[in-house]
């Protein structure tokens, strides 16, 4: 029983710190851990019961893996998985390239006040809601009064029905994601570049290195460990999509589902539109299991890189 006494002694000693983390702990318990019991719905044919939600869960018929079999027998599973993985892969690769490029450009600007202005301007989109951004996009892409269609009319071209043509939206979604996120993503790399010891650059200049050679042989090798770790961490979240981007910006247009439907939007529509709680839970559980595996693999790789580079 000594360990119980030691436990309460440690709790009392650290009571101030424990009180500080208590709100976050309660939040995780109610919104992250408690809902996990609801995953049982994925293995049931959920039907509403007049006695309430708990009675509905308990009285619904067990169907085993039938919900998963139905999900993967349709084309929906392939489409949402393909879109989720491919979009996130492009976001990771292109976001990394643009973030590093912008960070290097900002670090090389001689006028630091002007650099701060540019940095602030690129940060601004990050703080805008996707709901607000969706209306900005609509002003450009509206069929009747959209700015782009008006420009096409001035040049004698036909108007484009943007919200029913699927071929344009992969590029639109990628552009909007980069526009909103790259400025914020470049901050970490900019901080790492600023933290590089200036003597390395002075030594390179003494050896006759120009700016490009300094970036190639000093800046890039110094921030490579950070690039690798952040990339691996993003790979761990490749099965999670930005719901606002894929739902709000296309304005939930059914004609665009083949190129805008991802796991998160599929689960949401299954709950709100089709009322298929069991199927939506199965899709969400599928996303969570694969995401968990990726996070564990990511954690393993980060630990190996941590030992190699001794960053932490």
């Amino acid at each position: 029983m000594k360990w119980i006494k030691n436990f309460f002694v440690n709790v009392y000693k650290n009571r101030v710190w424990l009180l500080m983390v208590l709100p976050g702990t309660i939040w995780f318990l109610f919104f992250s851990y408690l809902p996990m019991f609801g995953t049982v719905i994925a293995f049931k044919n959920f039907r509403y019961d007049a006695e309430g939600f708990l009675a509905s869960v308990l009285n619904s018929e067990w169907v085993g893996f039938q919900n998963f079999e139905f999900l993967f027998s349709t084309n929906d599973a392939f489409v949402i998985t393909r879109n989720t993985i491919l979009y996130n892969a492009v976001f990771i690769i292109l976001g990394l390239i643009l973030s590093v490029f912008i960070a290097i450009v900002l670090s090389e600007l001689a006028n630091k006040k002007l650099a701060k202005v540019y940095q602030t301007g690129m940060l601004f989109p990050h703080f805008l809601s996707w709901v607000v951004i969706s209306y900005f996009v609509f002003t450009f892409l509206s069929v009747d009064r959209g700015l782009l269609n008006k420009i096409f009319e001035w040049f004698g071209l036909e108007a484009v029905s943007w919200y029913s043509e699927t071929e344009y939206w992969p590029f639109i979604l990628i552009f909007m994601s980069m526009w909103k996120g790259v400025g914020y993503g470049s901050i970490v790399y900019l901080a790492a570049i600023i933290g590089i010891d200036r003597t390395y650059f002075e030594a390179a200049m003494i050896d006759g290195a120009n700016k490009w050679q300094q970036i190639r042989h000093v800046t890039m090798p110094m921030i490579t460990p950070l690039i690798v770790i952040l990339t691996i961490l993003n790979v761990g979240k490749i099965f999670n999509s930005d719901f606002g981007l894929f739902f709000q910006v296309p304005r939930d247009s059914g004609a665009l589902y083949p190129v805008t439907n991802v796991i998160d939007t599929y689960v949401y529509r299954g709950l709100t539109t089709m009322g298929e709680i069991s199927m939506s839970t199965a899709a969400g559980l599928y996303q969570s299991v694969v995401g968990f595996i990726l996070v564990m693999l990511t954690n393993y790789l980060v630990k190996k890189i941590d030992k190699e580079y001794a960053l932490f």
Side-chain angles (χ1 to χ4, degrees), residues 20 25 43 74 81 120-122 138 144 152 162 189 192 196 204 224 232 283-284 287 300 303:
M20 290 177 63
T25 303
F43 306 96
T74 64
T81 303
T120 304
M122 289 184 293
F138 185 70
D144 300 326
F152 291 164
W162 297 98
Y189 299 111
I196 298 174
T224 294
I232 292 175
Q287 178 188 28
Y300 172 74
K303 284 183 178 179

Side-chain angles (χ1 to χ4, degrees), residues 125-126 128-130 133 175-184:
H126 173 76
L128 291 176
S129 167
W130 280 119
I133 294 174
F175 173 79
M176 294 309 302
S177 178
M178 296 300 103
W179 175 78
K180 190 175 190 293
V182 165
Y184 184 82

Side-chain angles (χ1 to χ4, degrees), residues 236-300:
K237 299 182 293 183
I238 200 169
F239 255 66
N240 295 324
S241 304
D242 192 334
F243 177 82
L245 171 63
F246 291 99
F247 185 81
Q248 297 291 348
V249 175
R251 304 182 70 83
D252 196 24
S253 174
L256 303 178
Y257 285 175
V259 295
T260 62
N261 203 12
V262 291
I263 297 177
D264 294 89
T265 56
Y266 179 84
V267 172
Y268 177 80
R269 292 188 186 104
L271 289 171
T272 59
T273 306
M274 297 181 288
E276 289 288 345
I277 294 181
S278 299
M279 189 66 62
S280 300
T281 308
L285 183 60
Y286 160 64
Q287 178 188 28
S288 299
V289 170
V290 177
F292 173 76
I293 294 171
L294 289 173
V295 168
M296 296 304 293
L297 290 174
T298 299
N299 187 51
Y300 172 74

